Amino acid sequence: MGSLPHVVEDCFGLLKLYSDGSISRNPEVPCPTPLLDDDSVLYKDLLFDANWNLHLRLYKPSSSTSLEKLPILFYFHGGGFCFGSRTFPHFHNLCARLTKAFNMLIVAPDHRLAPEHRLPAASDDACLALKWLQGQAAMHGKNVEDVDTWLTGVDFDRVFVLGDSSGGNLAHHLAVKLKAGSMELAPVRVRGYVLVAPFFGGSVRTKSELEQPCEAFWNLEMYDRFWRLSIPVGSTLDDPLVNPFGPCSQNLAEVPLDPILVVVGGGEILRDRLEDYATRLKQLGKKVEFVEVEGQQHGFFTDHPFSDVAEKVIQRIRDFILDNSN
């Protein structure tokens, strides 16, 4: 008789991978944040991919009318590719905050989760979400029942992408895939990308990773665990999905990119890696801004969207959107 399956990876007791490849998930939402809901923001859920039963959540200011040309902001949530949904309270609260702050239509898509669906599944799903918007835009103005009424007043020519943590990783790969001008999405036009503490890695550790600043929750071992659970079996931390400047990654010198804003907390383990990412892109002639928020740790923006610190970041993102809207 063979031995019984045993746990080989355990994420906070909420996700367990067993030696036989089986997976168990605790249905409990790992973020006991109260759900904020008021009359200033309206939201609803839509199916955007029937093949994988993927949904997204739309947010709009309750004061908006169908005559307004609302810009669009895609929000890709974090969770190490292994956790997360548009329904998680802290993601929902941030989207509501962004809706009011920017007076935009917010689109918050879900994606398939690892390890059931390892990368590039999440990246593929991010593309599907943008393609869904392209389909809506292509039918705009026609008498087609599949066009959602909330999209009758939006500006498909002013779309921005914001990704947090693993969502920031997705935003980077979208920027590279779509290239400057996002011609393959026409008539949708992405104007810029905001990467908040994007989840990158690499086999060569940075200074901040080696010293591991004292974050309240995160540590390098946790990050490595998420990578083991999410990257293709047999891959390494230098997989192009993990390391944008790894030995096997695409040469970005000849890839035209739309403007990118990188935001990172000064107390994050990934701080140096993300500064290096922005610096390398600048050296390649890309339009990149790097903003370090002194003393902040990973997740500060999502976990505390109404804080004074988050307000300063929101102001910087607002400036970025305004600067790149024409």
Side-chain angles (χ1 to χ4, degrees):
M1 295 179 62
S3 60
L4 293 175
H6 60 276
V7 176
V8 294
E9 297 285 357
D10 185 346
C11 271
F12 322 121
L14 299 171
L15 168 63
K16 294 180 181 180
L17 175 65
Y18 293 87
S19 55
D20 64 352
S22 61
I23 297 162
S24 66
R25 282 185 181 271
N26 187 324
E28 179 183 350
V29 175
C31 45
T33 306
L35 186 70
L36 300 179
D37 194 5
D38 60 42
D39 295 335
S40 64
V41 173
L42 303 176
Y43 66 91
K44 66 178 177 179
D45 294 328
L46 296 175
L47 178 73
F48 76 89
D49 183 76
N51 289 334
W52 294 108
N53 193 34
L54 294 172
H55 292 75
L56 55 78
R57 181 165 288 182
L58 297 180
Y59 298 79
K60 71 173 182 177
S62 58
S63 59
S64 67
T65 71
S66 60
L67 299 178
E68 292 181 284
K69 294 288 285 184
L70 290 178
I72 300 170
L73 177 69
F74 272 79
Y75 169 77
F76 291 100
H77 64 72
F81 303 110
C82 297
F83 296 99
S85 162
R86 72 199 184 283
T87 63
F88 278 23
H90 59 317
F91 297 145
H92 172 89
N93 293 346
L94 175 60
C95 286
R97 177 74 183 94
L98 297 176
T99 304
K100 290 189 287 187
F102 300 146
N103 194 38
M104 299 175 76
L105 180 82
I106 306 295
V107 184
D110 283 346
H111 60 71
R112 284 171 288 167
L113 300 177
E116 296 93 332
H117 304 281
R118 291 176 177 267
L119 291 169
S123 186
D124 292 342
D125 295 344
C127 291
L128 286 175
L130 270 295
K131 289 289 187 180
W132 170 84
L133 183 68
Q134 181 186 36
Q136 294 285 307
M139 295 184 290
H140 188 64
K142 302 177 182 179
N143 187 21
V144 180
E145 293 182 357
D146 290 338
V147 179
D148 190 86
T149 56
W150 282 25
L151 298 173
T152 58
V154 300
D155 189 349
F156 293 107
D157 191 56
R158 286 192 295 156
V159 177
F160 291 84
V161 174
L162 188 157
D164 181 38
S165 192
S166 57
N169 178 299
L170 297 180
H172 161 80
H173 288 290
L174 278 172
V176 173
K177 176 179 173 54
L178 297 176
K179 302 181 177 62
S182 52
M183 296 300 296
E184 69 176 76
L185 282 181
V188 170
R189 168 73 186 276
V190 179
R191 298 283 181 165
Y193 298 81
V194 180
L195 282 57
V196 180
F199 186 33
F200 296 139
S203 61
V204 178
R205 303 296 196 185
T206 65
K207 183 174 183 290
S208 63
E209 288 171 346
L210 290 171
E211 294 179 352
Q212 296 193 48
C214 184
E215 293 203 51
F217 181 75
W218 296 105
N219 59 56
L220 194 60
E221 194 281 327
M222 290 179 180
Y223 287 152
D224 287 347
R225 187 186 311 149
F226 277 123
W227 286 127
R228 290 194 299 269
L229 287 165
S230 62
I231 61 178
V233 175
S235 193
T236 73
L237 289 180
D238 283 327
D239 188 297
L241 296 164
V242 181
N243 188 350
F245 289 101
C248 301
S249 297
Q250 180 180 0
N251 184 351
L252 299 180
E254 302 302 321
V255 180
L257 297 175
D258 281 311
I260 295 175
L261 172 65
V262 181
V263 180
V264 63
E268 294 202 40
I269 293 170
L270 296 178
R271 185 247 174 242
D272 289 355
R273 182 171 298 278
L274 303 186
E275 182 181 36
D276 179 71
Y277 165 81
T279 299
R280 291 195 186 201
L281 287 181
K282 286 182 181 179
Q283 291 172 344
L284 294 176
K286 314 304 180 186
K287 186 177 180 182
V288 179
E289 300 175 54
F290 178 77
V291 175
E292 178 181 342
V293 186
E294 184 178 357
Q296 296 303 305
Q297 300 177 358
H298 195 71
F300 76 92
F301 188 58
T302 304
D303 294 341
H304 307 287
F306 293 90
S307 67
D308 291 341
V309 172
E311 178 57 38
K312 293 178 181 179
V313 174
I314 285 172
Q315 181 58 57
R316 188 64 202 87
I317 296 173
R318 183 186 291 113
D319 292 341
F320 176 80
I321 291 173
L322 291 174
D323 290 344
N324 294 288
S325 288
N326 298 317

